[in-house]
Amino acid sequence: MDKKPVIIPEEIHLFKVDVIKTNINAEAFNKTKSHSLSVAHKMMHNLKDERVKLELAFSFTDENKAELLHFQLDFHFKIEKLEKFYKLNEQELPVFSGMFIATLLGICLSTARGIIFEKCNNNGIPNVLIPVVSPQKMLKKPN
């Protein structure tokens, strides 16, 4: 990707969100003074159909690393002109633009924030908010 491809929001279509897994232990969450949040993501693609799926998993744990809340969400996108956002490597596998992935990740995180807020609120846990984070920093490999 010599030149950065231009991302046109109208060419990104989020057409489906699947809530794959929800595990809410409201009693334990409300009793715990501090919580830690871990987020994992995985990307899948279908180049021919110009589709991308991002899977996000959110895990809230207590100070003893016991899981209190867990959410797994799949986000399905149709991307017009997907070929602009990747190059094939020597093994003929696509290597996607970091900015493109960060854009999709940002959309997913914002959407997940609302879903998790609502699910927690409906289960007696008010104001659970996923922090605003940089998708670009999430994509960097840990040191």
Side-chain angles (χ1 to χ4, degrees), residues 4-91:
K4 289 187 179 184
V6 176
I7 296 172
I8 300 170
E10 294 80 13
E11 293 179 351
I12 298 173
H13 308 283
L14 175 61
F15 68 89
K16 185 177 182 183
V17 178
D18 287 323
V19 178
I20 303 299
K21 183 177 180 185
T22 301
N23 186 7
I24 300 173
N25 187 340
E27 185 177 340
F29 188 90
N30 286 327
K31 285 182 181 177
T32 304
K33 291 186 193 297
S34 65
H35 315 98
S36 294
L37 170 64
S38 299
V39 181
H41 65 279
K42 182 163 80 172
M43 181 177 159
M44 290 143 267
H45 55 80
N46 179 326
L47 301 178
K48 182 176 170 248
D49 292 339
E50 297 185 311
R51 292 186 180 206
V52 172
K53 180 173 96 170
L54 268 174
E55 175 185 298
L56 293 183
F58 299 85
S59 180
F60 292 82
T61 56
D62 65 13
E63 54 277 346
N64 298 318
K65 305 289 183 212
E67 190 170 72
L68 306 167
L69 306 174
H70 181 86
F71 301 93
Q72 182 182 334
L73 307 164
D74 286 353
F75 298 86
H76 301 262
F77 293 91
K78 169 81 169 155
I79 310 295
E80 294 177 34
K81 303 175 190 136
L82 180 61
E83 70 277 357
K84 295 188 312 185
F85 301 108
Y86 69 88
K87 297 269 188 206
L88 296 177
N89 65 14
E90 300 81 33
Q91 293 81 30

